[in-house]
Amino acid sequence: MKDNQTSTNYPALYTLIVVFFFWGFIAAGNSVFIPFCKNYFNLDQFQSQLIDFAFYSAYYIGALVLFITSTVSGKDLVGKWGYKKSIVYGLLFSALGAGAMIIAVEVNVYAGMLVGLFIVALGFSLQQTAANPFAVLLGDQKTGASRVNLGGAVNSFGTTIGPLIIGFALFGTFETISDAEIANLPLDKVVILYVVVGLLFLLAAALFYFSKKVPAGHSLDTMEPANKARTTLVIMTVLLFLAFIPVFLSYKSDAALEIEALKTQLSTSTDSGTISALSTQIEDLTHPLELKRMFWLLGALLAVVVSLVFAYTKAKKNSEGWGAMKYPQLVLGMLGLFIYVGIEVAIGSNLGELLTLEEFGSLQSSQITPYVSMYWGGMMIGRWAGAISAFNLAKSTRQVMLIIVPLVAFSVIIGVNSLAGFNMEVLYYFVICVLIQIAAFFFSKDKPVRTLVIFGTFGLLAMVVGLLTSGTVAIYAFLCGGLACSIMWSSVFSLAIVGLGKYTAQGSAFLVMMILGGGIIPPIQGKLADIIGIHNSYIIPVIGFAYIILFAILVQGFLKKQGINIDDVEAEGAH
């Protein structure tokens, strides 16, 4: 690898950290954008979750295209361009997406907004592929993990304030605005927001491109052949599109149009008998249509699971042509990251709808921002605490910091929301949940398998409590999802990639593709919510956390068989 250096290039590092901030800012802001769009465009819960579908599917498509191109040429395309140019290209792509968002907002077209978010995230996919190894390159490789963790900490801060700024852009005030009034709100501040975001993308690209202090970051690593893995991923992608297309088309079907016509009649009718008859007709038409949509969405999920299981079983019999997929820990880890990212996003993205229920406070969309900020802030709390292990601290100092840092992070979340004008008293006692997370860190002892089992159990129990209760207890329980998910990217990533040798770069590319889970699982929970209710739909993360625990147990066995000491595995990677 070229451009290696021992002293940290701080100007380049600080510029790079801005890119990490963008990812968290936009991603978490989507959790506020979703309920807004649901009311503004009169969408069902599934349609509102298409924001996540567009955003996270772009990560997958971008990573897949890079992988296909690299395996065909035999060279890592990002390394060939250089990390510097790759990040510049990614920022320009994201700026293009911001421009598409501005146009879509101006013409008031929801589908156009989805396209804009897709292009923004496509740029993020390229940026993320280059940013992590680039952060390592900007100094002594022995301290590379600390730079990646610093980027992750800033990314998490972006997830905390993103909902606040997006919420202000959407509602224009921190006073309560009813959901019925949302359809009449002007979107001029959203245009201003994306003008600013687009300009920031361009500014960051210019700083990278023209700065002589930012190294090119070329890598001459070869991309190991994996023809069978490539074919399997392409087929999986085709199956995903084939599964989603019937769902999209169903919204223009005769049954859907008839339902809309009946709803229009219902809204203008005053006769109780007519209202009852129309309601029955709507229910009779809606239920089978929703079940049909759910069938196809589960087919999309099945396409991913079956493709990965197929790869695992085939590679076990004959590893030739499967590349990194011949390692069971990698394939199981791909499914683990798919599910983890999916439930992480689904919990936050469906939170706004959950809080509209009477038993959860009957909140309006303009009132949910502090809760969304606290949920994504939980990710920041965990990641700041997890980053402590990257520094060479004495054991006693590390233990003290493991208590102080999460509490400081919690105070930051409360503080920035309070400064924004929100009354945070209802969330003060969430500090109890933070203390539980701190205890989980102490029991985990920086061991990825143990960490996943403990935090997976924490998340699973929290979701069960949320399902079985209501009110503040249930809200706190669901917000604990952020605390539980906070360490999962690094833990799953590190366990999935250990022992891959020359296939490590390829395995990393496969794992990044699995951010796709954020585009598939939230719409599934959204459609399940349309059928059985938003509260009951949180059975989805229960199942997800159960798999995370299972993955930790299974991967431990596989690594032991390969002669790998799991106690030596260190968490790596930033998301």
Side-chain angles (χ1 to χ4, degrees):
M1 183 175 289
K2 298 179 181 179
D3 304 309
N4 198 16
Q5 51 192 47
T6 56
S7 60
T8 301
N9 186 332
Y10 287 106
L13 179 62
Y14 296 150
T15 307
L16 181 64
I17 284 173
V18 173
V19 177
F20 279 80
F21 176 84
F22 284 145
W23 305 339
F25 175 85
I26 299 294
N30 287 342
S31 296
V32 176
F33 198 47
I34 284 169
F36 174 87
C37 286
K38 180 178 181 180
N39 290 286
Y40 190 87
F41 293 104
N42 192 27
L43 309 172
D44 66 20
Q45 191 62 12
F46 164 77
Q47 289 172 307
S48 70
Q49 296 297 311
L50 291 180
I51 288 174
D52 284 333
F53 173 76
F55 189 79
Y56 291 98
S57 294
Y59 272 93
Y60 169 70
I61 295 298
L64 180 63
V65 170
L66 284 174
F67 168 69
I68 292 173
T69 307
S70 297
T71 51
V72 169
S73 66
K75 295 289 183 183
D76 177 14
L77 189 62
V78 171
K80 183 180 178 181
W81 287 342
Y83 299 135
K84 177 179 178 178
K85 280 188 177 180
S86 297
I87 291 173
V88 169
Y89 295 154
L91 287 165
L92 292 176
F93 239 105
S94 295
L96 182 65
M101 274 292 290
I102 293 167
I103 295 171
V105 171
E106 288 285 11
V107 298
N108 220 22
V109 176
Y110 180 57
M113 294 181 187
L114 298 181
V115 171
L117 280 172
F118 180 87
I119 298 172
V120 168
L122 207 57
F124 284 180
S125 177
L126 182 53
Q127 293 165 38
Q128 186 150 337
T129 302
N132 283 339
F134 197 34
V136 174
L137 183 66
L138 294 176
D140 189 342
Q141 293 198 14
K142 292 180 181 179
T143 59
S146 64
R147 290 189 292 278
V148 172
N149 283 319
L150 178 61
V154 174
N155 170 274
S156 295
F157 184 65
T159 65
T160 302
I161 68 169
L164 292 170
I165 296 176
I166 298 291
F168 180 75
L170 293 171
F171 303 111
T173 176
F174 292 117
E175 296 179 3
T176 301
I177 295 173
S178 71
D179 288 347
E181 296 175 298
I182 286 178
N184 299 317
L185 288 177
L187 295 181
D188 54 314
K189 286 188 174 63
V190 180
V191 173
I192 294 172
L193 172 68
Y194 274 94
V195 167
V196 173
V197 168
L199 290 174
L200 287 174
F201 286 144
L202 292 174
L203 177 61
L207 286 173
F208 264 94
Y209 184 78
F210 292 109
S211 176
K212 294 180 180 180
K213 293 184 179 180
V214 179
H218 289 291
S219 172
L220 302 179
D221 294 342
T222 58
M223 180 62 72
E224 297 296 329
N227 297 337
K228 293 178 182 177
R230 183 176 64 211
T231 302
T232 301
L233 289 170
V234 170
I235 292 173
M236 184 183 84
T237 306
V238 172
L239 290 175
L240 285 172
F241 276 107
L242 291 177
F244 269 90
I245 286 173
V247 182
F248 296 149
L249 294 178
S250 72
Y251 282 90
K252 295 296 181 182
S253 64
D254 292 340
L257 295 175
E258 186 176 352
I259 290 170
E260 287 302 314
L262 290 171
K263 285 182 177 178
T264 301
Q265 293 181 44
L266 182 64
S267 65
T268 57
S269 179
T270 56
D271 179 69
S272 59
T274 303
I275 291 173
S276 178
L278 287 172
S279 298
T280 301
Q281 281 183 272
I282 291 171
E283 177 62 27
D284 290 343
L285 287 169
T286 300
H287 189 64
L289 182 59
E290 296 287 39
L291 290 179
K292 181 180 177 182
R293 289 167 176 166
M294 194 66 196
F295 169 81
W296 284 107
L297 290 173
L298 290 176
L301 179 62
L302 198 62
V304 176
V305 176
V306 170
S307 295
L308 293 177
V309 171
F310 172 80
Y312 168 69
T313 54
K314 288 295 183 180
K316 191 175 181 181
K317 295 177 181 178
N318 181 8
S319 63
E320 186 179 353
W322 287 103
M325 281 192 181
K326 68 182 180 181
Y327 293 93
Q329 65 264 34
L330 188 275
V331 177
L332 290 174
M334 289 173 69
L335 184 57
L337 276 185
F338 175 86
I339 290 173
Y340 144 67
V341 176
I343 60 175
E344 170 193 291
V345 176
I347 294 169
S349 294
N350 286 284
L351 189 62
E353 181 66 15
L354 181 77
L355 294 173
T356 64
L357 299 181
E358 183 178 352
E359 60 268 33
F360 283 87
S362 301
L363 300 185
Q364 304 298 310
S365 295
S366 60
Q367 295 175 300
I368 70 166
T369 299
Y371 297 91
V372 173
S373 179
M374 182 59 75
Y375 172 75
W376 288 104
M379 305 291 290
M380 181 181 78
I381 293 170
R383 287 173 181 170
W384 282 17
I388 293 171
S389 61
F391 300 95
N392 189 24
L393 301 174
K395 184 178 179 180
S396 58
T397 304
R398 187 166 65 248
Q399 289 178 338
V400 171
M401 293 298 289
L402 205 52
I403 297 172
I404 294 175
V405 169
L407 295 177
V408 169
F410 175 74
S411 301
V412 168
I413 300 164
I414 294 292
V416 294
N417 279 274
S418 298
L419 288 174
F422 290 106
N423 183 351
M424 298 297 288
E425 288 183 9
V426 71
L427 290 172
Y428 284 169
Y429 294 104
F430 188 67
V431 71
I432 297 171
C433 300
V434 176
L435 293 174
I436 294 173
Q437 186 202 43
I438 292 172
F441 271 113
F442 275 98
F443 284 118
S444 297
K445 298 180 179 178
D446 289 331
K447 301 182 187 301
V449 169
R450 189 173 179 145
T451 299
L452 276 182
V453 171
I454 291 174
F455 277 79
T457 303
F458 177 32
L460 188 150
L461 292 176
M463 294 304 108
V464 171
V465 170
L467 279 170
L468 298 179
T469 59
S470 61
T472 302
V473 172
I475 292 172
Y476 277 23
F478 288 132
L479 290 179
C480 280
L483 297 174
C485 285
S486 61
I487 51 79
M488 288 189 176
W489 174 271
S490 58
S491 296
V492 174
F493 195 98
S494 59
L495 287 169
I497 210 167
V498 67
L500 267 59
K502 65 180 182 180
Y503 294 101
T504 300
Q506 188 180 98
S508 299
F510 287 151
L511 290 170
V512 170
M513 289 181 201
M514 291 301 100
I515 293 176
L516 171 69
I520 303 297
I521 293 178
I524 289 176
Q525 183 175 343
K527 182 49 62 188
L528 188 62
D530 290 332
I531 298 172
I532 66 173
I534 187 66
H535 191 183
N536 291 330
S537 75
Y538 273 80
I539 189 66
I540 294 290
V542 171
I543 298 170
F545 281 120
Y547 175 78
I548 296 297
I549 298 169
L550 178 64
F551 163 75
I553 295 170
L554 290 176
V555 79
Q556 178 173 289
F558 284 120
L559 293 179
K560 281 185 177 179
K561 286 181 181 179
Q562 295 172 29
I564 298 171
N565 185 357
I566 57 172
D567 291 338
D568 294 334
V569 178
E570 295 182 359
E572 57 183 270
H575 167 50

